[in-house]
Amino acid sequence: MSMHPLLDHDDFAKSRKALIATAAFLLLINQLQIAGESIDVSGLTLKIDRDTVVGFGSLFLVYFTYVFIVRAFDQVMSSRIVEVREDLDRLIKDAKEVIENETFFIKRIEFENRLSGTISKLRDTTKFLSRFVLISVEVGPPLLLALYTAYAIGAPAALLSFLINT
């Protein structure tokens, strides 16, 4: 399922665009001169309050700022992973030399230790990065928003009242 382009933030470039678009929208709304206080749509009257719109939009601004920071961290860590992979390529090249010269047993042991350590670092870094991004971007904000919304609308009391009265 595809998200609306302004809400799509699954990589660094998209999160940057979402942050810029949200900030620009809020600047525009903040500078608008609203002439009336309401809009009539098919008999339904909606009151417009610029402060409410800016406040609601600010939630998105905070969220997209947070996602942008996490994605920037992801970018830095991804470049570190590339460096580790380059180290692995150099180690593999060294391995070929060791295999060709079986007489250098100590060099082979040193190589195996270096290779094992580098692979372990790469696994640890990759696991940490993927878990960090999952929890801090994909799980944390929606859960916090749901909890805040439940609190703000009085969901526990409404649910209790609904269950008692039905």
Side-chain angles (χ1 to χ4, degrees):
M1 180 161 66
S2 179
M3 238 188 230
H4 187 277
L6 290 179
L7 298 177
D8 193 5
H9 58 269
D10 63 350
D11 66 28
F12 182 66
K14 289 177 183 176
S15 67
R16 183 180 64 241
K17 289 176 186 176
L19 177 60
I20 291 169
T22 303
F25 174 74
L26 284 173
L27 285 172
L28 176 68
I29 291 295
N30 193 49
Q31 296 302 315
L32 285 179
Q33 298 295 324
I34 299 174
E37 291 185 6
S38 62
I39 298 175
D40 188 40
V41 180
S42 299
L44 178 65
T45 302
L46 304 172
K47 288 194 174 191
I48 297 174
D49 180 21
R50 182 175 61 191
D51 292 339
T52 302
V53 173
V54 170
F56 185 69
S58 295
L59 287 173
F60 285 100
L61 183 65
V62 167
Y63 173 70
F64 286 132
T65 300
Y66 172 74
V67 170
F68 177 74
I69 290 168
V70 171
R71 293 294 180 195
F73 176 74
D74 183 34
Q75 283 288 107
V76 169
M77 293 300 290
S78 294
S79 66
R80 174 65 184 127
I81 289 172
V82 168
E83 291 172 7
V84 171
R85 285 186 182 151
E86 289 171 355
D87 287 347
L88 280 174
D89 288 341
R90 284 192 290 276
L91 287 172
I92 290 170
K93 182 181 173 189
D94 289 349
K96 290 179 183 176
E97 292 176 14
V98 169
I99 291 170
E100 291 171 1
N101 295 319
E102 282 287 330
T103 56
F104 296 107
F105 182 71
I106 293 175
K107 188 174 180 183
R108 187 174 122 211
I109 292 173
E110 176 189 332
F111 165 76
E112 288 172 355
N113 290 338
R114 283 175 49 203
L115 183 61
S116 173
T118 302
I119 289 173
S120 177
K121 285 180 193 175
L122 181 61
R123 275 193 205 117
D124 292 346
T125 301
T126 304
K127 280 182 189 176
F128 171 76
L129 181 61
S130 64
R131 287 178 182 159
F132 173 76
V133 170
L134 173 70
I135 291 169
S136 67
V137 172
E138 306 300 335
V139 175
L143 186 58
L144 289 173
L145 180 61
L147 291 172
Y148 172 75
T149 301
Y151 167 76
I153 66 170
L159 180 60
L160 186 61
S161 174
F162 174 78
L163 292 173
I164 291 173
N165 294 326
T166 54

